[in-house]
Amino acid sequence: MSAARPREGAGCVTWWGFSPARDLLSVGPERQEGHVNVLLVGSADPRHILKTIAGLRETDSLHIWVIENSMDVVARHLVLLYLSLTPQESMGLHEKTEVFLEVFGNSEIRSHTEEILRHAASQLSLSVNDTPDTAKNSCLDTTSLKYKERDELVRIFKLWIKPSSTKSPSGHVVPVSITKAWDGRVRQHLGTRYDSRRGSFDWDLAMKLHQKGCGVINKQQYVRWRERGVAFDMREGAYQTTNATLLSTRIFSHRGDKLAAQGYWGDIVSSPYLSFGIETEDKSLLKTQNGQHVKTAQDISFANVQALLQRLSCRRSSPTTSQSDTEKTEAEELPSQPEGYHKSVSINDLMHLNRISVTFLPMDSLSKLPEKQKYSQFFNTIYFSASLVHQLGLTLRQIAAPKAVLVVELAKYLLDLNKEQEAGFAQRVASMAQEAGFEPRHEAKSDDAFATFTLQKE
């Protein structure tokens, strides 16, 4: 029997994180308050951003700086934040939560969701090249990116507006099929085990995810996701339209030549349920009956995202003075619209959040931040994902504020790794953090999905 190829299941593009959302201001020895600067390196999605904002006090201010290794991932960040900031006067909370989860974790989405996605992409395409003087929303700040990176974002958004296509053997242009791309990845990953893939899916769920404490991940839903890539099937409707945000280009070498292939190159094993669906503060969602969970990871994801989006609205700034009294009155009288209602939203219509900013930095900026005086002893919290932990280096100390907290995602939910490899990864992280001038927080409560460190005193 052929074993699955190590790490191939995680893919080479990280569309979602391999860990639950965390309030990054509460992971240190004491909760950080006042004005806080947070650096996210490879977080892959906005789960930590939404969770951290939800935990803010009214008097706190937060500036999050994001570095990713792919502009495709940055584009996803932007569209998910765009959806999150859509005011409830334009799209009801229930509908917004559904659309967010579809775009976040489904290879195929409803046609209604595709319309919303295309509109968001067109708005982002227009705004991404704004200068600092004309930036439209402080949570969608791309002005620090290089010009070529912004051009790349515009190219990606235009692909979302007009779906990608390829030429068939007969010469006809046909849309890229994410269904075929997904199945191709599964075949490559399982090899000779493909014909008995249901057994492989069951094994990964029961002997890996459930053993790691993810019992809320329902077998039927997990198998459906492993088969088709559809994690969130929340209503009666046709999930048949390709989610363009999950398509990207990968470069292959073939007989000395470089070939570009459009397809799905992300996770096909661990699942998007990890980000929002395996933990919850509402313990009623974790109830069991006859040894089985009453609620599923889909239910918990919906409840968690809905709560986070609702909290986001609580940080909404007051209407600008340019609005007429009539507009203000209408906004007050229409806090939420009926389910299914959606009004076209421009960048200017998005919610502005009090004392909250999200800035996207160039892909190669981590090594260059120490060279800029602005970032000297600047970041109060620094987060590294498991996929970009190799960038954790000695220069980190120069940009870390006194008493800074370092949070590193571990390999607990990378299912293609065995226990020895998982433990080896954690040891390597601890060694790298120590070399960079950070010491482990031994008094921290147990959290084997993350390792937490604090800056050593000089």
Side-chain angles (χ1 to χ4, degrees), residues 1-292:
M1 183 171 67
S2 172
R5 293 164 174 79
R7 290 175 292 281
E8 179 64 27
C12 62
V13 182
T14 311
W15 293 128
W16 42 74
F18 294 99
S19 57
R22 284 287 179 273
D23 176 356
L24 294 175
L25 304 191
S26 65
V27 294
E30 55 188 30
R31 180 172 180 80
Q32 299 182 39
E33 300 177 357
H35 179 76
V36 185
N37 289 301
V38 176
L39 176 63
L40 300 180
V41 183
S43 59
D45 62 51
R47 69 194 187 284
H48 300 316
I49 296 175
L50 297 177
K51 185 76 171 179
T52 303
I53 291 174
L56 282 178
R57 298 173 182 176
E58 260 188 58
T59 54
D60 292 338
S61 60
L62 174 69
H63 197 152
I64 296 178
W65 309 75
V66 180
I67 299 174
E68 295 290 350
N69 66 346
S70 163
M71 296 316 294
D72 291 289
V73 176
V74 171
R76 283 252 302 173
H77 263 287
L78 289 168
V79 77
L80 289 169
L81 286 173
Y82 182 102
L83 293 172
S84 302
L85 294 169
T86 300
Q88 290 185 34
E89 304 96 81
S90 300
M91 180 160 51
L93 181 60
H94 191 281
E95 174 73 4
K96 182 161 66 167
T97 304
E98 287 185 336
V99 171
F100 180 99
L101 287 173
E102 279 185 53
V103 174
F104 176 73
N106 283 10
S107 63
E108 294 178 298
I109 55 181
R110 294 173 295 151
S111 57
H112 171 67
T113 301
E114 184 195 31
E115 291 175 13
I116 296 172
L117 176 59
R118 286 184 177 182
H119 177 76
S122 67
Q123 289 295 308
L124 289 167
S125 179
L126 292 172
S127 71
V128 80
N129 280 322
D130 286 333
T131 63
D133 294 334
T134 59
K136 297 296 191 299
N137 194 294
S138 59
C139 289
L140 303 170
D141 185 359
T142 58
T143 56
S144 296
L145 295 174
K146 298 176 181 179
Y147 287 114
K148 65 178 182 180
E149 291 175 331
R150 289 189 239 167
D151 289 343
E152 177 66 5
L153 280 178
V154 171
R155 184 193 69 82
I156 293 167
F157 291 138
K158 287 182 177 178
L159 286 176
W160 296 358
I161 298 168
K162 185 178 181 180
S164 303
S165 58
T166 59
K167 282 191 176 181
S168 66
S170 61
H172 296 294
V173 176
V174 294
V176 171
S177 170
I178 201 167
T179 304
K180 291 182 179 179
W182 183 278
D183 185 65
R185 284 288 316 288
V186 175
R187 287 176 182 274
Q188 180 190 31
H189 177 62
L190 294 179
T192 57
R193 296 164 59 196
Y194 178 81
D195 289 338
S196 58
R197 57 191 178 281
R198 285 297 182 102
S200 296
F201 300 161
D202 289 347
W203 176 269
D204 286 341
L205 179 63
M207 303 307 296
K208 294 182 180 180
L209 283 170
H210 284 179
Q211 293 298 317
K212 294 175 183 290
C214 303
V216 292
I217 299 181
N218 174 275
K219 177 180 176 180
Q220 181 180 357
Q221 292 174 354
Y222 179 74
V223 169
R224 180 192 63 214
W225 175 75
R226 289 290 299 266
E227 284 274 17
R228 293 182 49 209
V230 176
F232 303 105
D233 185 355
M234 293 165 289
R235 61 164 62 214
E236 293 295 328
Y239 291 83
Q240 297 176 343
T241 305
T242 292
N243 181 357
T245 74
L246 292 179
L247 290 174
S248 61
T249 302
R250 185 175 181 181
I251 306 299
F252 292 88
S253 294
H254 180 68
R255 297 178 181 177
D257 295 326
K258 299 290 186 180
L259 300 177
Q262 187 85 353
Y264 177 82
W265 309 114
D267 168 41
I268 56 169
V269 174
S270 295
S271 87
Y273 298 124
L274 298 175
S275 293
F276 300 106
I278 61 173
E279 295 181 354
T280 177
E281 296 174 4
D282 183 356
K283 301 308 176 186
S284 67
L285 296 174
L286 299 176
K287 286 183 179 179
T288 59
Q289 189 172 5
N290 298 324
Q292 299 294 320

Side-chain angles (χ1 to χ4, degrees), residues 266-427:
D267 168 41
I268 56 169
V269 174
S270 295
S271 87
Y273 298 124
L274 298 175
S275 293
F276 300 106
I278 61 173
E279 295 181 354
T280 177
E281 296 174 4
D282 183 356
K283 301 308 176 186
S284 67
L285 296 174
L286 299 176
K287 286 183 179 179
T288 59
Q289 189 172 5
N290 298 324
Q292 299 294 320
H293 281 271
V294 177
K295 299 294 184 180
T296 68
Q298 175 175 291
D299 299 324
I300 294 173
S301 295
F302 186 92
N304 282 339
V305 170
Q306 187 174 57
L308 293 175
L309 296 182
Q310 181 65 55
R311 287 290 299 163
L312 207 66
S313 298
C314 296
R315 295 290 301 202
R316 185 177 184 176
S317 300
S318 301
T320 62
T321 53
S322 61
Q323 283 181 298
S324 67
D325 292 338
T326 301
E327 288 174 317
K328 291 179 183 179
T329 302
E330 288 178 352
E332 291 168 358
E333 291 178 352
L334 295 173
S336 181
Q337 289 294 339
E339 181 182 345
Y341 174 87
H342 181 260
K343 179 178 74 176
S344 294
V345 179
S346 72
I347 291 289
N348 288 326
D349 296 326
L350 297 178
M351 292 187 292
H352 288 261
L353 306 183
N354 280 321
R355 296 183 293 279
I356 296 174
S357 301
V358 180
T359 299
F360 292 86
L361 295 173
M363 291 189 293
D364 63 353
S365 61
L366 185 61
S367 62
K368 299 177 180 179
L369 293 180
E371 301 170 4
K372 300 180 179 180
Q373 183 60 34
K374 172 183 178 179
Y375 299 108
S376 177
Q377 298 185 331
F378 186 74
F379 295 106
N380 306 99
T381 299
I382 302 173
Y383 171 89
F384 275 84
S385 68
S387 59
L388 288 187
V389 73
H390 60 277
Q391 294 191 21
L392 201 166
L394 295 172
T395 57
L396 207 60
R397 188 181 185 98
Q398 299 175 41
I399 61 175
K403 299 182 180 179
V405 176
L406 171 65
V407 182
V408 183
E409 181 184 58
L410 297 179
K412 177 179 180 180
Y413 298 110
L414 292 173
L415 301 192
D416 286 340
L417 301 186
N418 58 38
K419 289 184 178 180
E420 291 73 21
Q421 291 170 321
E422 184 184 329
F425 184 91
Q427 292 172 1

